Amino acid sequence: MKRKKHYLWPLFLLYIVTSFIWGVSTYAEEAATTESGTEDPLGGFNYQVIFPENQHTKNVGYFDLMMTPGQEQTVEVQLINDSAHEMTINISLNGTKTNGNGVIEYGPTDIEDDKSLKYKFTDIVTGEKKVTIPAQSLVSYYLTIKMPEASYDGQIVGGIQMQQEVDNSKSQGGIINEYAYMIGMVLQENENPLEPNLEMNKVYAGLSNYRNAVFVNFSNTVADFMRDMTVDVQIMPADSDEVLYDTKKAGMEMAPNTLINFPVTMNGDRMEPGDYKAYVLVTSGDKRWEWTENFTITDEEADKFNGQDVSLLQERTIDWKTIVALVGGALVVILIIFVVVRIILKNKGKKKGKRKSSKKRNRK
C-alpha cells in the first residue's frame, strides 16, 4: 500500500506545472444605482423627494416640473442618515446624454454636448456638491432652478446623482463597492407637440471597447425624447455595394438635444485604409431618416487603431506553438521522472529481496 502513494506525486507535480501555465488573477468591482428612495445597501443612507405644487406628473420618483419663463424656484430633497455614524454625500448635477447603445445617461459622462443644445441643465439648476449628514439625522438638500427669460418649447432634462463618500483604503480583496442614487428632473413650460428631427453629423473610424469600429454620429436636434428607435447601418467600399460590416439595433432612445456615436464593429478584422460609404437608416414609429455618408480611413488612423485593437494584440502576443511546446515538454519531463522513480523503486525492491534471501541462508 505504501508503494502506491509514490505514484501520486507525479500528478501533484503536473498540477503545479499547469497552475503556473494557466494561473489567473481576478478582480471585482461592484456598483448599484436606483431611481427611488429605498434602503441603502451600505446601511443608513436614504432620501425622499419633496414634490412642489407645480409637479406635473404625479406618482413618480423624479421631478417633472411645469415652469414659466424666467421663473425661479427652490426644490427640496431630504437626505436621511439612519446609521450610527456621520456620513458625507457627494452630489453631481448632470445634463442628460445618449450613449452608443441608445441608453439615456443621467449621471456623469464624458459625452460631449450637441450643438443643438440651447440651454444647459447645469446652467439652470444649481446646488451644493457635498452634504454632511450627522448620525441618526435628516438634512434637507436644496436645488435652485432659474428658467431662461425667453419662452421655451420642449424639455430641459438632467439628473441629480447622490453618492456616499467611501474610504477606498478600507476596501478588502481589491473590491470597491460604490453605490449611488439618481433622481431625474424634467423642466418644461408647456406641452406643445414638437416634430421629431434627426441630423447626420459624420462617420469616422475609431475603437469600440478597444476593438476596431466605424462610428456613425447623428443628433436628435429637438428638445424632446426620441423613443423606440431602430438604427440599421451598413458599411461598404466607396465604389461598391458589397456590405463589409453591418449592425442593426432596436429599442433605442435619445435624450433631447443630444448626439449619439453609434458603433459598427469590424468583428476582429484589421482596419484597412481607403474610401468607404455608410448607409444609415433610422426609424421611430412612422418616422424615417436615411443617409448615405462617405468617409475615409487614413493610413495613420489604420495603423493607430490596429495597434490598439485588443483582438489583434492577442493574436500577436499569444504564440500557441510555444505554449504547446512548453506543455508538451513539461509532460515529457514528468513522464521521465515517473519512469525513473519506478526504476528506482524496483531496484530498491530487488535489493530488499536479496537481503532477505541472504539472511535466510545465514540462518541455515
Side-chain angles (χ1 to χ4, degrees):
M1 296 295 292
K2 290 182 179 179
R3 289 182 61 186
K4 289 184 179 180
K5 293 182 180 179
H6 291 289
Y7 297 126
L8 297 177
W9 79 269
L11 297 176
F12 176 69
L13 181 60
L14 175 62
Y15 169 77
I16 294 175
V17 172
T18 53
S19 295
F20 277 110
I21 295 174
W22 287 291
V24 177
S25 298
T26 59
Y27 302 89
E29 182 175 334
E30 186 174 332
T33 303
T34 180
E35 293 184 355
S36 61
T38 57
E39 291 186 7
D40 175 39
L42 293 178
F45 170 42
N46 203 344
Y47 75 91
Q48 180 66 47
V49 177
I50 306 302
F51 295 108
E53 292 183 358
N54 59 330
Q55 174 74 14
H56 180 58
T57 306
K58 311 298 182 182
N59 301 318
V60 294
Y62 60 91
F63 289 107
D64 182 10
L65 307 180
M66 187 62 71
M67 309 289 288
T68 58
Q71 180 181 347
E72 294 188 30
Q73 182 175 354
T74 299
V75 294
E76 178 185 359
V77 178
Q78 293 181 347
L79 304 178
I80 306 161
N81 179 6
D82 290 328
S83 72
H85 56 84
E86 179 182 272
M87 65 175 63
T88 299
I89 308 301
N90 295 321
I91 301 173
S92 65
L93 305 179
N94 317 281
T96 53
K97 304 292 177 63
T98 305
N99 67 28
N101 293 317
V103 176
I104 297 173
E105 300 275 3
Y106 290 85
T109 176
D110 57 1
I111 301 172
E112 62 186 24
D113 292 329
D114 187 65
K115 60 186 178 182
S116 68
L117 181 65
K118 189 174 182 180
Y119 300 112
K120 294 181 65 173
F121 179 81
T122 50
D123 291 338
I124 294 172
V125 181
T126 57
E128 296 295 327
K129 296 181 179 180
K130 194 181 292 282
V131 177
T132 299
I133 316 175
Q136 301 289 325
S137 299
L138 179 152
V139 171
S140 290
Y141 174 72
Y142 296 101
L143 292 161
T144 301
I145 305 170
K146 189 178 188 314
M147 291 295 287
E149 294 293 336
S151 61
Y152 185 77
D153 291 338
Q155 300 174 324
I156 301 171
V157 187
I160 304 111
Q161 178 178 284
M162 304 172 295
Q163 185 170 8
Q164 182 176 339
E165 194 169 86
V166 179
D167 186 357
N168 293 336
S169 63
K170 296 180 180 180
S171 64
Q172 298 179 353
I175 300 176
I176 301 174
N177 295 319
E178 295 182 345
Y179 298 93
Y181 289 133
M182 188 71 67
I183 303 173
M185 179 177 285
V186 179
L187 306 174
Q188 58 184 334
E189 297 176 357
N190 56 64
E191 294 184 281
N192 295 337
L194 300 177
E195 185 69 19
N197 184 57
L198 300 178
E199 290 185 4
M200 169 61 65
N201 296 320
K202 60 180 178 179
V203 178
Y204 63 97
L207 293 175
S208 175
N209 294 324
Y210 302 100
R211 289 170 172 81
N212 286 337
V214 172
F215 288 88
V216 177
N217 179 300
F218 60 91
S219 299
N220 173 18
T221 63
V222 179
D224 198 1
F225 289 93
M226 178 71 70
R227 305 289 190 185
D228 194 23
M229 188 172 66
T230 298
V231 179
D232 189 357
V233 180
Q234 297 176 345
I235 305 299
M236 297 165 280
D239 57 356
S240 171
D241 290 332
E242 176 191 1
V243 177
L244 301 175
Y245 309 102
D246 67 305
T247 298
K248 184 175 182 178
K249 186 175 177 63
M252 301 175 65
E253 297 181 330
M254 290 188 72
N257 298 113
T258 60
L259 58 80
I260 183 173
N261 287 299
F262 182 76
V264 181
T265 60
M266 292 186 172
N267 305 319
D269 292 347
R270 289 184 59 81
M271 187 178 292
E272 299 294 339
D275 295 325
Y276 298 87
K277 62 185 177 184
Y279 170 72
V280 184
L281 174 63
V282 181
T283 57
S284 177
D286 59 353
K287 301 296 181 180
R288 177 187 179 97
W289 294 267
E290 191 173 4
W291 305 282
T292 298
E293 191 77 6
N294 294 321
F295 67 101
T296 299
I297 300 177
T298 65
D299 293 330
E300 292 77 11
E301 288 174 328
D303 290 340
K304 175 184 175 181
F305 298 130
N306 285 333
Q308 297 174 357
D309 187 309
V310 294
S311 300
L312 300 177
L313 288 173
Q314 287 174 356
E315 289 179 3
R316 288 197 292 267
T317 56
I318 296 177
D319 188 345
W320 290 108
K321 290 182 179 179
T322 302
I323 292 175
V324 171
L326 289 173
V327 174
L331 292 175
V332 170
V333 171
I334 292 170
L335 181 61
I336 292 172
I337 294 173
F338 181 74
V339 172
V340 171
V341 169
R342 290 203 61 181
I343 293 172
I344 293 173
L345 293 175
K346 284 183 179 181
N347 290 336
K348 285 183 178 181
K350 289 179 180 179
K351 288 180 180 180
K352 287 181 180 180
K354 289 180 180 180
R355 288 175 184 173
K356 289 181 180 179
S357 60
S358 61
K359 286 180 180 180
K360 289 180 181 179
R361 290 174 184 174
N362 293 334
R363 288 176 185 174
K364 292 179 180 179

